[in-house]
Amino acid sequence: MKICRTIAECRSIVAGYRFAGETVGLVPTMGFLHDGHLALVACSETRVDRTVATIFVNPAQFGEAADLEAYPRDEERDFEMLRAAGVDCVLVPDVSEVYPAEDETIVETTRMANILHGQVRPGHFRGVTTVVARLFNFVQPDIACFGEKDYQQLQVVKKMTRDLAFPIEIIGVPTVREDDGLAMSSRNVRLGTKDRQAALVLSRSLNAADQAAAKGTTIEALHDVIKNIITAEPRATLRGLDIVAAGDLTEISGALTSPAAIMISVEFGGILLLDQRVVTP
Ligand code: PAF
């Protein structure tokens, strides 16, 4: 596995793949990898000849400097995992190369970035699309893989890719879960034992919503199902619950007649966890 610290190194390796007629997949990450990231790698490997991963903790998508500082990092372990997973090349760029001094270009999906989770974390999705657009330009892949767990991020990236006509197919990869149902996340390691146990309330509430949807229900009733289960867990603070049209994330109400995306964010002892499910009538 090639480890590139500069964009130029990575471009020259990708040029070699192209010269050999090979297709290229991109797996963008912020490091501190877990099985969820490896599922993105596996997905890329089944579709293209070469997989390039990036590790970059993107300052532009963090609201508070403290959050950025607290973000877990372990580069050597990440390299080992990527190597074992068969990644061909990893780009670990410096902040000064991704965001050159006095740069002034941002990329934003003006509606989608500022609804739902974007209202709770102003500027977050602008930071994501700005860095993803840059990573797309650095690597110029044929496909790029993103987790469905960050459902709004996936839709925002799809929209940006369509709007800017990047010739890149965006692949959504299903959420990977621990054996007990907790969605994998780099944040899980920061949970204490009791909060880790309490966090199972996320998948439990989504399973209940899934069952209600299969029997026939309304959007309002789905809100209640989830809210009741989460508020019954004393260690959990519900920070966000959105049920919107799958794909374009527009508001919906009344009877559930088409696929709906449920997105929840719940805090446990200062750690915010996300989960998501698309339910169908
Ligand atoms: O999902 C993430 O890890 C990040 O938001 C991403 C897509 C790598 C952009 O920094």
Side-chain angles (χ1 to χ4, degrees):
M1 182 179 78
K2 304 275 187 207
I3 298 174
C4 304
R5 300 274 172 192
T6 66
I7 298 163
E9 277 175 87
C10 181
R11 281 205 168 133
S12 110
I13 284 166
V14 172
Y17 301 154
R18 294 292 185 200
F19 189 71
E22 293 173 322
T23 50
V24 177
L26 172 68
V27 176
T29 82
M30 296 207 299
F32 210 72
L33 306 177
H34 51 68
D35 286 352
H37 296 105
L38 299 185
L40 305 183
V41 169
C43 174
S44 168
E45 287 171 345
T46 60
R47 289 167 183 261
V48 290
D49 302 313
R50 298 289 191 167
T51 295
V52 177
T54 58
I55 299 177
F56 180 66
V57 182
N58 174 31
Q61 69 188 79
F62 286 84
E64 311 217 345
D67 255 9
L68 176 62
E69 288 301 306
Y71 200 82
R73 293 159 213 244
D74 191 340
E75 202 178 82
E76 284 311 316
R77 183 175 153 274
D78 289 345
F79 290 161
E80 262 328 296
M81 290 174 76
L82 293 174
R83 198 174 283 122
V87 164
D88 297 283
C89 171
V90 56
L91 170 64
V92 196
D94 198 72
V95 181
S96 60
E97 242 205 326
V98 178
Y99 296 112
E102 290 155 30
D103 76 322
E104 47 181 89
T105 304
I106 55 168
V107 178
E108 184 173 30
T109 56
T110 50
R111 181 186 69 87
M112 269 197 190
N114 296 304
I115 54 173
L116 311 171
H117 195 58
Q119 286 180 318
V120 187
R121 296 179 71 188
H124 170 73
F125 289 114
R126 184 199 309 134
V128 170
T129 41
T130 297
V131 81
V132 169
R134 290 174 192 216
L135 296 174
F136 282 0
N137 274 326
F138 301 161
V139 179
Q140 303 189 0
D142 299 289
I143 67 164
C145 302
F146 294 83
E148 282 179 354
K149 181 169 79 72
D150 296 314
Y151 189 79
Q152 187 171 357
Q153 167 172 286
L154 174 62
Q155 304 313 318
V156 162
V157 168
K158 281 186 175 171
K159 185 87 181 86
M160 173 200 74
T161 306
R162 256 194 321 267
D163 289 356
L164 297 183
F166 278 112
I168 299 172
E169 187 188 352
I170 306 301
I171 316 279
V173 179
T175 304
V176 179
R177 296 179 182 276
E178 306 279 0
D179 288 344
D180 59 9
L182 183 66
M184 289 202 181
S185 161
S186 308
R187 295 174 181 213
N188 293 353
V189 293
R190 292 164 60 197
L191 294 169
T193 317
K194 288 185 177 158
D195 285 332
R196 169 68 184 72
Q197 188 57 29
L200 297 181
V201 76
L202 278 98
S203 53
R204 209 164 53 240
S205 69
L206 291 172
N207 291 342
D210 222 0
Q211 283 163 13
K215 285 186 201 141
T217 186
T218 63
I219 303 303
E220 295 72 17
L222 285 177
H223 270 274
D224 290 342
V225 166
I226 291 176
K227 214 181 271 176
N228 291 341
I229 293 177
I230 289 176
T231 51
E233 167 51 64
R235 304 187 78 84
T237 310
L238 183 60
R239 291 289 180 215
L241 166 57
D242 297 292
I243 307 180
V244 290
D248 68 6
L249 310 181
T250 49
E251 281 180 28
I252 44 176
S253 60
L256 176 74
T257 52
S258 52
I262 304 178
M263 291 177 275
I264 48 179
S265 45
V266 182
E267 198 178 306
F268 299 88
I271 315 289
L272 192 68
L273 297 185
L274 311 183
D275 207 345
Q276 120 337 292
R277 185 79 52 92
V278 174
V279 295
T280 43

